[in-house]
């Protein structure tokens, strides 16, 4: 009876570890989904009320605190660098260049720049989402399989 309970506990633990392994991939999909949404909202607001860069970055900082962090120096003209280790180097570079492009042009120019980034962010969000689905399913299955093997060995 104790072997059965121990095996069931190990099965649950290995399945949970498999789920936990895919967290960083879910995080990447969430980040680019929110950035894509932020970009679309910013483009629509640019035509109506000309928001300041500071206001927009503060909104983004509230939405994605891990990505933006406490790097307020870029509002004073310093270059922004995304330091979030959960993202790949390419993804950090995309986010850094996106943040650095905010406020670099007049309204018409800014809309063109953001339209270019809209395609990039959409592609990154789709890729991250597809990869997350694949990795999440695989890692949970592997965790469950490992737990099941251990369960059979124990019993």
């Amino acid at each position: 009876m104790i072997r059965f309970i121990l095996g069931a506990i190990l099965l649950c633990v290995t399945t949970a570890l498999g789920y936990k392994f895919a967290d960083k991939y879910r995080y990447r999909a969430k980040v680019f989904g929110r950035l894509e949404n932020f970009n679309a909202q910013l483009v629509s607001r640019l035509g109506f009320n000309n928001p300041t860069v500071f206001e927009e970055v503060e909104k983004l900082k509230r939405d994605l605190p891990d990505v933006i962090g406490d790097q307020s120096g870029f509002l004073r003209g310093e270059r922004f660098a995304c330091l979030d280790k959960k993202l790949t180097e390419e993804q950090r570079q995309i986010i850094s260049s996106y943040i650095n492009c905010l406020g670099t042009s007049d309204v018409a120019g800014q809309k063109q720049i953001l339209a270019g980034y809209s395609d990039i962010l959409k592609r990154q969000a789709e890729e991250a989402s597809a990869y997350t689905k694949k990795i999440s399913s695989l890692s949970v299955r592997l965790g469950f399989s490992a737990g099941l093997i251990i369960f059979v060995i124990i019993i």
Side-chain angles (χ1 to χ4, degrees), residues 104-135:
T104 58
S105 182
D106 62 340
V107 173
Q110 190 70 56
K111 280 186 174 183
Q112 288 178 342
I113 293 169
L114 294 177
Y117 273 103
S118 177
D119 297 335
I120 294 169
L121 294 175
K122 183 176 183 176
R123 183 175 35 83
Q124 286 291 324
E126 288 171 353
E127 287 176 6
S129 179
Y131 195 69
T132 298
K133 287 179 185 175
K134 183 170 71 172
I135 291 295

Side-chain angles (χ1 to χ4, degrees), residues 13-120:
V13 168
T14 56
T15 304
L17 287 174
Y19 180 81
K20 186 71 175 156
F21 175 76
D23 272 353
K24 68 179 177 181
Y25 300 104
R26 282 189 288 278
Y27 175 78
R28 291 173 184 172
K30 179 184 84 167
V31 165
F32 278 99
R34 287 186 178 175
L35 274 174
E36 182 185 12
N37 187 32
F38 171 81
N39 189 58
Q41 290 176 359
L42 179 58
V43 169
S44 68
R45 282 192 300 268
L46 277 176
F48 294 109
N49 59 358
N50 296 336
T52 66
V53 174
F54 180 76
E55 292 170 348
E56 295 306 316
V57 170
E58 285 300 315
K59 289 178 186 174
L60 189 59
K61 191 185 283 189
R62 283 191 301 271
D63 200 29
L64 297 169
D66 293 337
V67 174
I68 304 299
D70 194 25
Q71 297 186 42
S72 57
F74 71 95
L75 292 173
R76 296 185 304 270
E78 298 173 13
R79 302 279 300 162
F80 173 79
C82 181
L83 303 174
D84 195 344
K85 297 296 182 189
K86 295 178 186 173
L87 302 171
T88 65
E89 183 62 34
E90 177 189 3
Q91 291 170 335
R92 287 194 298 264
Q93 288 175 354
I94 290 170
I95 292 171
S96 296
S97 65
Y98 176 75
I99 299 295
N100 286 323
C101 87
L102 296 177
T104 58
S105 182
D106 62 340
V107 173
Q110 190 70 56
K111 280 186 174 183
Q112 288 178 342
I113 293 169
L114 294 177
Y117 273 103
S118 177
D119 297 335
I120 294 169

